[in-house]
Amino acid sequence: PMVRSPLNNFPKTSKPPRRAYEKERLDPEIKTTANSGLKTRRGIWRITPVLPRARAVPRQLPPLGGRAPRRIFQGQALITRMIRYGILDEDKQRLDYVLALKVEDFLERRLQTLVFKRGLAKSIHHARVLIRQKHIRVGRQIVDIPSFMAVSYTHL
């Protein structure tokens, strides 16, 4: 029997791009990193593999006019999950909207962005500092991770 090493229990959390210095990808990445208050571009690289997996579900479901039970069940489960995280709005309950998701939609749900948008911090960078210094609670729990993905009904 093959024995697993205890060092690789957890998969990699990010996937760097194949080409490190590709201008077409690098410029928007740097702009997004600055606008969303990310410390490094690895924050974008962490979200990038999630998008194809989310888009794969509607693509793999049988295109039988929306009446197949598997399509209804799995599609509804994905949409419910996206709404719970606040990535999709309540009025966008169709798989077409899941296919149209972008990295920015996921970055909007980070705790750092939410703290800034709710006016608890003067800037996006100030929001990161407040979170790291344990001034922010989510519900009754102190959270000190800026990349924490807050569900839509959480109370800051």
Side-chain angles (χ1 to χ4, degrees):
M2 198 169 120
V3 179
R4 284 187 63 145
S5 167
L7 298 175
N8 60 5
N9 278 344
F10 303 104
K12 289 184 176 180
T13 58
S14 64
K15 189 173 190 289
R18 287 193 179 144
R19 294 184 179 165
Y21 300 106
E22 190 177 24
K23 187 169 176 51
E24 294 82 36
R25 189 206 75 255
L26 199 59
D27 289 343
E29 246 179 32
I30 291 170
K31 193 173 287 185
T32 305
T33 304
N35 291 343
S36 58
L38 295 169
K39 192 172 170 187
T40 62
R41 290 181 324 208
R42 186 178 291 143
I44 295 173
W45 300 343
R46 284 179 60 195
I47 295 170
T48 308
V50 174
L51 271 173
R53 282 186 300 202
R55 288 185 190 136
V57 173
R59 283 197 191 118
Q60 291 171 352
L61 293 175
L64 302 173
R67 288 284 147 234
R70 179 174 163 236
R71 180 180 176 82
I72 293 169
F73 180 75
Q74 287 188 344
Q76 198 57 44
L78 175 69
I79 289 170
T80 305
R81 202 172 331 128
M82 294 294 178
I83 290 171
R84 187 176 68 227
Y85 273 108
I87 297 166
L88 278 181
D89 293 330
E90 290 280 344
D91 58 333
K92 296 183 177 180
Q93 293 195 15
R94 291 186 55 215
L95 291 174
D96 299 337
Y97 293 111
V98 175
L99 292 171
L101 286 174
K102 298 185 296 290
V103 172
E104 288 79 15
D105 299 324
F106 284 87
L107 291 174
E108 289 292 315
R109 294 310 304 167
R110 295 175 83 241
L111 182 60
Q112 180 178 357
T113 311
L114 293 176
V115 168
F116 174 61
K117 293 267 168 100
R118 299 228 176 130
L120 299 172
K122 295 175 184 171
S123 70
I124 194 94
H125 305 291
H126 184 224
R128 184 178 191 89
V129 171
L130 289 176
I131 294 166
R132 288 300 298 160
Q133 292 176 350
K134 300 183 180 182
H135 293 296
I136 303 297
R137 287 184 314 157
V138 177
R140 301 178 80 187
Q141 180 75 42
I142 292 177
V143 179
D144 65 342
I145 295 151
S147 64
F148 178 80
M149 292 296 257
V151 290
S152 60
Y153 54 83
T154 53
H155 184 67
L156 294 179

